[in-house]
Amino acid sequence: MKISFFTSAVLLCASMSVVAQKKWSETSKGTFSLIQNQGGQTLGYSPTSGVKILTVNGLAFKDLNKNGKLDKFEDWRLPYEVRAKDLATKLSIEEIAGLMLYSAHQSIPARAGGYFAGTYNGKPFKAGEVDPSDLTDQQKKFLKDDNLRHVLITTVQSPEIAAEWNNKLQAYCESVGAGIPANNSTDPRHGTKARAEYDAASGGEISMWPSSLGLAATFDASVVQKFGEVAAAEYRALGITTALSPQVDIATEPRWARFNGTFGESPLLSAAMAQAYCDGFQTSLGKNSSNSGWGFGSVNAMVKHWPGGGSGEAGRDAHYANGKYAVYPGNNFDAHMIPFINGAFKLKGKTLMASAVMPYYTISWNQDKKNGENVANNYNKYIISDLLRTKYKYDGVVCTDWLVTGDHKAMDVFIDGKSWGVENLSLAERHYKILMAGVDQFGGNNDAKPVIDAYQMGVKEHGEAKMRARMEQSAVRLLRNIFRVGVFENPYLIPEETKAIVGKPEFMKAGYETQLKSVVLLKNQSQTLPITTKKTVYIPKRYTPASRNFLGMESPASTDYPVSLDLVKKYFNVTDNADEADFAVVFIQNPTATMGYDKDDLKNGGNGYIPISLQYNDYTATEAREKSIAGGDPMENFTNRGYKNKTAKTANITDAQLVVDTKSKMKNKPVIVSVNTSNPMVFSEIEQSASAILVNFGVQDQALLDIISGKSEPSALLPMQMPADMATVEKQAEDVPYDMKPHKDSAGNLYDFGFGLNWKGVIKDARTTRFK
């Protein structure tokens, strides 16, 4: 068929008009608007922020920097790397310095006083007078004046209020500077409420899962990946795009206070769990996914703590000056990096590796093979640049732990500055040393001035071009993680959808089923368990000693039933008379250890250092080393932190007494002991008095009752050894796994790594040998 010139011209014009035709539609969601591009990204923006919508080739784009043209960083069709590099070149040093900040803890609404306090128009929060979703004065300041864009969220009043606060935060960010959205984060928030009752048909505030140790006790990486997928969905519904987790330090020191946050002492198990955790969090699924694996369902995983913080000398923790040293008497430093190198940095999914890393506070004693420096890992160029960056080729974000640049003023205060090994440097010098070590971000710092001061120090030493390049290098890494999760396109939430997603029934069900899989049956004398008929149970009241949390807030002593008797009555008859009972269940905690430092010892002429005990009864450290491996602090005039022959008392010694007393009251009737544990413990004090022992790592009481009653069969395994006594604890090397003599019970079983029972007896499957 012959086509005339006129006809061809008409067809061409029609074709061009189709190309130029608008291919997007806009809907209002009240405080923000959503734009749907045909076959492209969904955009969200606040009409009051000053951001306009650009139409290019019929598609919509946000003019975030309000210059009237489409910049590369605003073009959602381009790769993340291209966009991040383009924006980094456009930012001022002040704006890059703001990106390098990670806020102190933010509570929604802000507390009226204390560590997480904030104000609203100069006044503390007051219910009924202040909207709990409003931004605080402090938040507005650090977002605008300091250009901060990484916000750490702690408590929230409700999921809907968290969503409304997120929308106000993002609109505020959109209105200033280049319109860079906030990258909100959280520490783990999926713990359990012990007395909460599980109902398969109902939802909750957020899904409840066992601790990391409990996840590890399943010895099943697919369970951990499922947790990551569920947690990521709930985080995104709350406006959270970075998880300050997982904690993958191998817990080779059994006395360490942060043992419970790890996956146990096995490098191989920790690596498998780290890999699954990061894949679950970072990989977007379904319509939220992209070819890179990143997308609107992704949450950045900040894996911690490089190069491993699980070998603090004598179990002391580096949040405190008295625990600043990690030691390696077994020359096993390299093993502590296995969960990073073979786990978090070697993902099975398309995102390839954890997008961020946090070094620990510790000084890795005598491990700097290049400069011989004994400074905290955050400051150590060998640890960060030579190992992490160069040897292991990590180019993601490295963020310090919180308060590492602060001034050190006390030996035993949690919120003390943690500038270990560089206490003599000025604030600017500390920031400069961290920056030149290869770190990108400063945790817990709302103030940009010290970062700008550090930049100026670098200009004097290296010239402006080199320092600008160094700052842009970090900016690209930081921006890349914000682009990947899609919040440059749409950071806004619909509160009704948030309410429907967070804690929805299927998520609650997945968490509860995992709790059941995380409980370890250690002893089952004469098949005491399960108790499948409605017999009569005696549950003694438990004494809880007075305590003080990490912020110094005190809880008074109390004596009460350790579980809800109304819940127990759904399974068994309940009596408060042991003579009437068929069996007893004693609910206790593992021995509550001190942090290994005592001011009274200091006042009495000692060095302040005492043992950390894993047994209930008083413990005297006759087998401890005479002289500590590491030591030294500006506040101390000695270096030997030894504590040989000193005695430690355990606050909850009454738990051991409760088991023994209940055994006496029950005469020859079964006594089941349920231990909620956060660390390895010495079982010899209570094991003989128990007919059956269940160990859990933070589950709902209902999960324990489901197992006791036979509704569920235990399948979990110990992710750590349970020591025979404190002598074996003192003699083990802080950096070496599996080097303790395990407890041997009356049935001849060793409470070793990988041990666990089911109704048939000792579990022997592929899991028990795979990870050791």
Side-chain angles (χ1 to χ4, degrees):
M1 182 178 70
K2 191 173 181 180
I3 300 177
S4 70
F5 173 80
F6 176 78
T7 304
S8 298
V10 170
L11 289 173
L12 179 60
C13 289
S15 174
M16 290 176 66
S17 68
V18 170
V19 171
Q21 190 177 32
K22 191 171 82 168
K23 300 176 183 177
W24 56 270
S25 59
E26 181 171 352
T27 56
S28 173
K29 296 296 179 180
T31 59
F32 65 95
S33 293
L34 284 181
I35 291 176
Q36 180 61 59
N37 281 292
Q38 294 177 21
Q41 294 285 3
T42 298
L43 310 182
Y45 79 104
S46 170
T48 62
S49 69
V51 165
K52 303 298 182 186
I53 298 302
L54 303 173
T55 301
V56 178
N57 293 331
L59 298 172
F61 301 87
K62 292 159 66 175
D63 183 15
L64 289 166
N65 62 1
K66 308 169 187 70
N67 66 354
K69 65 177 183 178
L70 180 64
D71 294 291
K72 288 182 180 179
F73 83 90
E74 297 164 334
D75 190 342
W76 44 260
R77 299 169 299 183
L78 296 176
Y80 307 128
E81 190 77 19
V82 172
R83 299 177 70 187
K85 287 181 177 178
D86 177 62
L87 181 51
T89 62
K90 291 176 165 61
L91 297 179
S92 67
I93 291 299
E94 290 74 17
E95 288 172 313
I96 294 176
L99 276 178
M100 290 178 157
L101 304 178
Y102 224 124
S103 84
H105 303 68
Q106 304 296 308
S107 183
I108 306 169
R111 299 186 183 188
Y115 188 45
F116 303 137
T119 57
Y120 300 83
N121 294 319
K123 297 179 180 179
F125 175 79
K126 189 172 182 179
E129 294 183 6
V130 178
D131 186 335
S133 68
D134 280 353
L135 301 185
T136 66
D137 302 328
Q138 293 76 19
Q139 289 162 0
K140 291 176 182 177
K141 180 187 180 301
F142 65 56
L143 291 170
K144 185 177 181 180
D145 297 347
D146 294 284
N147 298 294
L148 184 149
R149 288 298 179 273
H150 293 78
V151 182
L152 174 57
I153 299 171
T154 56
T155 57
V156 298
Q157 191 174 103
S158 71
E160 303 98 294
I161 287 172
E164 292 166 4
W165 176 87
N166 169 81
N167 290 350
K168 292 177 181 179
L169 173 81
Q170 298 294 5
Y172 192 84
C173 291
E174 198 172 85
S175 71
V176 296
I180 299 171
N183 179 1
N184 298 327
S185 71
T186 181
D187 282 307
R189 58 194 313 122
H190 282 85
T192 60
K193 293 180 179 178
R195 291 177 181 244
E197 187 172 354
Y198 170 69
D199 176 356
S202 68
E205 293 175 358
I206 195 166
S207 62
M208 293 190 285
W209 300 70
S211 69
S212 292
L213 264 185
L215 292 173
T218 69
F219 277 56
D220 185 350
S222 68
V223 167
V224 177
Q225 181 153 343
K226 177 63 177 178
F227 164 70
E229 292 167 0
V230 168
E234 292 182 308
Y235 278 10
R236 289 307 301 259
L238 291 167
I240 294 166
T241 47
T242 291
L244 302 187
S245 56
Q247 184 188 340
V248 304
D249 316 76
I250 54 171
T252 49
E253 170 45 61
R255 296 163 288 189
W256 188 31
R258 300 199 70 182
F259 200 107
N260 194 42
T262 75
F263 294 119
E265 66 181 301
S266 164
L268 298 181
L269 179 61
S270 297
M273 296 306 188
Q275 183 184 66
Y277 192 108
C278 295
D279 270 329
F281 268 90
Q282 292 191 168
T283 305
S284 281
L285 303 172
K287 61 182 177 60
N288 289 321
S289 64
S290 67
N291 291 334
S292 67
W294 292 99
F296 285 96
S298 298
V299 172
N300 292 291
M302 185 180 289
V303 63
K304 56 191 187 184
H305 304 90
W306 178 262
S311 62
E313 185 162 19
R316 295 184 296 269
D317 180 62
H319 276 87
Y320 306 93
N322 57 63
K324 64 168 69 172
Y325 296 106
V327 295
Y328 302 89
N331 296 316
N332 203 37
F333 176 73
D334 289 350
H336 287 255
M337 293 182 282
I338 289 173
F340 298 90
I341 300 160
N342 294 334
F345 299 169
K346 193 179 288 186
L347 304 185
K348 293 180 179 179
K350 292 180 180 179
T351 65
L352 302 179
M353 63 172 58
S355 66
V357 170
M358 181 188 293
Y360 203 40
Y361 296 118
T362 46
I363 295 172
S364 296
W365 186 251
N366 289 342
Q367 297 307 309
D368 185 339
K369 307 303 182 187
K370 187 173 183 180
N371 306 305
E373 270 197 310
N374 276 314
V375 295
N377 296 317
N378 298 281
Y379 291 90
N380 194 302
K381 191 171 183 178
Y382 173 78
I383 297 288
I384 304 300
S385 285
D386 294 339
L387 287 183
L388 181 60
R389 295 289 193 203
T390 303
K391 183 174 181 178
Y392 297 114
K393 303 186 183 338
Y394 185 77
D395 191 39
V397 167
V398 177
C399 176
T400 75
D401 213 326
W402 266 232
L403 301 178
V404 301
T405 58
D407 291 335
H408 165 39
K409 300 175 182 177
M411 294 300 297
D412 60 347
V413 175
F414 182 86
I415 57 173
D416 185 40
K418 307 171 202 314
S419 49
W420 310 146
V422 295
E423 294 93 342
N424 61 317
L425 298 183
S426 69
L427 187 62
E429 288 169 337
R430 291 174 199 156
H431 282 77
Y432 182 52
K433 186 172 179 64
I434 286 173
L435 190 64
M436 301 315 287
V439 174
D440 303 298
Q441 202 164 27
F442 301 90
N445 185 355
N446 299 353
D447 183 3
K449 186 178 184 302
V451 184
I452 297 168
D453 290 344
Y455 167 78
Q456 296 296 346
M457 291 177 67
V459 170
K460 288 181 181 179
E461 184 172 352
H462 301 290
E464 189 169 356
K466 182 173 181 178
M467 282 309 295
R468 172 76 200 192
R470 172 65 192 89
M471 297 289 276
E472 283 190 22
Q473 182 184 44
S474 287
V476 169
R477 292 171 182 148
L478 292 159
L479 290 167
R480 188 167 55 200
N481 285 1
I482 307 177
F483 278 113
R484 284 168 165 170
V485 295
V487 287
F488 265 93
E489 276 59 72
N490 180 25
Y492 295 96
L493 303 170
I494 299 173
E496 295 79 13
E497 292 182 359
T498 292
K499 183 178 181 180
I501 291 170
V502 179
K504 68 180 180 179
E506 69 180 83
F507 291 170
M508 301 298 289
K509 182 174 186 286
Y512 187 74
E513 289 175 347
T514 302
Q515 291 180 48
L516 293 171
K517 293 178 181 178
S518 73
V519 178
V520 183
L521 177 61
L522 285 185
K523 185 178 182 180
N524 196 18
Q525 180 179 300
S526 303
Q527 276 66 55
T528 298
L529 297 177
I531 298 173
T532 56
T533 56
K534 197 167 186 179
K535 292 185 177 181
T536 300
V537 63
Y538 167 65
I539 298 176
K541 289 183 176 180
R542 176 177 180 263
Y543 170 74
T544 303
S547 63
R548 183 177 300 190
N549 71 7
F550 68 92
L551 293 177
M553 299 168 65
E554 295 184 355
S555 297
S558 64
T559 300
D560 200 357
Y561 289 109
V563 293
S564 165
L565 295 188
D566 288 338
L567 179 61
V568 177
K569 287 174 184 176
K570 295 184 178 182
Y571 294 80
F572 306 107
N573 300 314
V574 177
T575 181
D576 59 3
N577 184 347
D579 292 334
E580 297 175 354
D582 298 307
F583 70 102
V585 182
V586 185
F587 293 88
I588 61 174
Q589 303 284 329
N590 63 293
T592 304
T594 66
M595 64 180 181
Y597 190 81
D598 183 20
K599 286 182 178 177
D600 287 338
D601 179 76
L602 200 62
K603 291 175 184 176
N604 294 328
N607 62 0
Y609 293 87
I610 61 172
I612 295 175
S613 178
L614 300 181
Q615 68 181 38
Y616 291 105
N617 290 296
D618 293 357
Y619 163 63
T620 301
T622 57
E623 303 296 325
R625 56 176 67 109
E626 290 274 3
K627 189 175 186 297
S628 65
I629 294 172
D633 188 272
M635 298 186 70
E636 296 177 337
N637 59 5
F638 56 86
T639 57
N640 183 11
R641 296 181 164 195
Y643 52 84
K644 186 169 183 176
N645 295 323
K646 292 183 181 179
T647 299
K649 295 180 179 294
T650 302
N652 63 330
I653 185 174
T654 48
D655 277 356
Q657 294 167 348
L658 187 63
V659 174
V660 174
D661 290 348
T662 303
K663 171 66 175 175
S664 176
K665 287 180 180 179
M666 292 296 291
K667 301 181 174 64
N668 292 319
K669 292 180 288 188
V671 175
I672 300 161
V673 177
S674 174
V675 188
N676 180 3
T677 187
S678 58
N679 285 77
M681 59 178 279
V682 175
F683 271 94
S684 58
E685 298 164 303
I686 63 171
E687 182 261 314
Q688 292 281 354
S689 299
S691 309
I693 299 174
L694 291 167
V695 167
N696 78 87
F697 309 97
V699 300
Q700 291 168 255
D701 295 333
Q702 187 172 347
L704 299 170
L705 292 168
D706 276 351
I707 288 175
I708 291 170
S709 64
K711 288 187 175 181
S712 181
E713 183 173 9
S715 61
L717 307 170
L718 285 178
M720 74 284 212
Q721 294 181 309
M722 295 295 184
D725 49 43
M726 281 303 298
T728 193
V729 173
E730 293 289 3
K731 292 176 181 178
Q732 56 91 37
E734 284 94 336
D735 59 324
V736 178
Y738 327 123
D739 62 340
M740 293 190 295
K741 176 185 175 184
H743 174 73
K744 186 175 184 179
D745 72 9
S746 56
N749 291 319
L750 292 175
Y751 294 179
D752 205 351
F753 174 85
F755 172 74
L757 303 171
N758 56 23
W759 301 147
K760 296 177 182 177
V762 178
I763 298 171
K764 292 182 179 178
D765 57 31
R767 298 177 302 158
T768 60
T769 56
R770 177 183 171 193
F771 295 112
K772 187 164 183 178

